[in-house]
């Protein structure tokens, strides 16, 4: 064997020996890692939007929620300031908290008309103040739906303006112990904000503790390449999650195998998400059985994650 072949053979042998020891070391570690699942011990805090739970009255709906371990209630924001005291009274002594507030404001913040923008800001502040009184995690807002025109152009100047407006809203929300929450929608409903990462980047740039974002499994079905990646991209800015069946936006589980949320739940666990997953979905009149089944399904998939 000449010198060159001797060196080549020796190097190959060393490489094999090193790779073998590396593989042996790696083989022992996954067992330890596998024992520690991401988010181990994190609670799945389920929430229902108003009038989703079975029951003719709100009191009956709260009875059902409490009996089935639903700990969050998501009311609409339209008349919230006038309902604060009655909701406080109905929730007193119950194991149910107000989760997020679902919109309810008037106007839209990206209108070309200053009067409509002011209407949005003013009504949002009224709802934010009420949300703070109720201990809500935040008020959900969409910058502009496709149907809301005329709208400011989609460019950097508009994004900067949006950040300014939400900084003002966020400061007001923080003063009231709550937040404003960007909600990305799918392209059929909204052009401006469609992915969770886009909403999170706005939160990062605004850099205000009163400004956060959310993800909605229904909209994510059409806009995200990965549920897990979407939630991880939001990280500390994720404040709320909506869930519905993934084909027809009905009660989770009613679209069969399509209603798989495990990957998304795994992402939530990886970021230590400890807030609410709330039903925003269509419901039939006879809803008790499908909602009870949905609660069971989501808890099982949370465990699988």
């Amino acid at each position: 064997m000449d010198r060159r072949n001797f060196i080549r053979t020796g190097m190959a042998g060393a490489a094999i020996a090193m790779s073998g020891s590396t593989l042996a070391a790696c083989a022992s570690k996954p067992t330890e890692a596998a024992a520690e699942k991401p988010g181990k011990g994190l609670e799945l805090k389920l929430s229902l939007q108003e009038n989703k739970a079975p029951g003719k009255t709100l009191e009956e709906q709260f009875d059902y929620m409490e009996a089935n371990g639903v700990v969050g209630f998501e009311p609409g924001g339209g008349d919230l300031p006038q309902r604060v005291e009655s909701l406080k009274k109905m929730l007193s002594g119950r194991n149910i908290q107000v989760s997020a507030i679902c919109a309810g404001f008037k106007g839209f913040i990206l209108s070309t008309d200053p009067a409509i923008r002011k209407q949005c800001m003013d009504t949002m502040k009224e709802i934010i103040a009420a949300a703070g009184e109720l201990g809500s995690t935040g008020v959900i807002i969409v910058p502009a739906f496709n149907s809301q025109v005329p709208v400011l152009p989609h460019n950097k100047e508009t994004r900067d303006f949006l950040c300014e407006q939400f900084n003002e809203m966020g400061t007001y929300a923080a003063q009231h112990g709550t937040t404003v929450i960007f909600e990305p929608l799918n392209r059929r409903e909204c052009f401006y904000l469609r992915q969770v990462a886009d909403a999170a980047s706005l939160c990062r740039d605004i850099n205000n503790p009163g400004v956060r974002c959310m993800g909605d499994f229904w909209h994510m079905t059409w806009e995200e390449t990965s549920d897990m990646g979407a939630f991880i991209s939001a990280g500390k800015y994720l404040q709320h999650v909506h869930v519905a069946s993934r084909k027809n936006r009905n009660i989770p589980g009613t679209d069969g195998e399509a209603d798989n949320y495990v990957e998304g739940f795994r992402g939530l666990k990886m970021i230590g998400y400890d807030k609410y997953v709330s039903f925003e979905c269509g419901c039939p009149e006879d809803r008790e059985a499908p909602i009870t089944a949905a609660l069971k399904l989501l808890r099982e998939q949370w465990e699988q994650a």
Side-chain angles (χ1 to χ4, degrees), residues 13-23:
I16 291 168
M18 287 176 67
S19 64
S21 62
T22 303
L23 287 169

Side-chain angles (χ1 to χ4, degrees), residues 54-156:
K56 294 179 181 178
T57 67
L58 199 49
E59 289 281 7
E60 289 179 0
Q61 292 173 32
F62 286 156
D63 288 342
Y64 170 87
M65 290 163 65
E66 211 163 29
N68 287 272
V70 177
V71 295
F73 169 63
E74 183 181 327
D79 57 351
L80 193 67
Q82 292 76 43
R83 302 176 64 199
V84 168
E85 293 307 318
S86 65
L87 286 174
K88 279 184 178 180
K89 186 176 180 181
M90 280 192 279
L91 291 171
S92 178
R94 291 186 180 272
N95 188 32
I96 301 171
Q97 303 292 320
V98 176
S99 57
I101 308 300
C102 189
F105 55 93
K106 296 178 181 177
F108 64 107
I109 206 66
L110 292 181
S111 173
T112 57
D113 186 340
I116 293 177
R117 296 200 298 264
K118 184 177 185 304
Q119 183 185 39
C120 177
M121 180 66 77
D122 291 347
T123 55
M124 269 297 290
K125 285 183 175 179
E126 290 175 1
I127 300 168
I128 288 167
E133 283 192 68
L134 290 166
S136 167
T137 55
V139 182
I140 299 167
I141 179 171
V142 174
F145 288 88
N146 286 338
S147 59
Q148 292 177 314
V149 291
V151 67
L152 293 171
H154 194 277
N155 56 29
K156 183 181 182 301

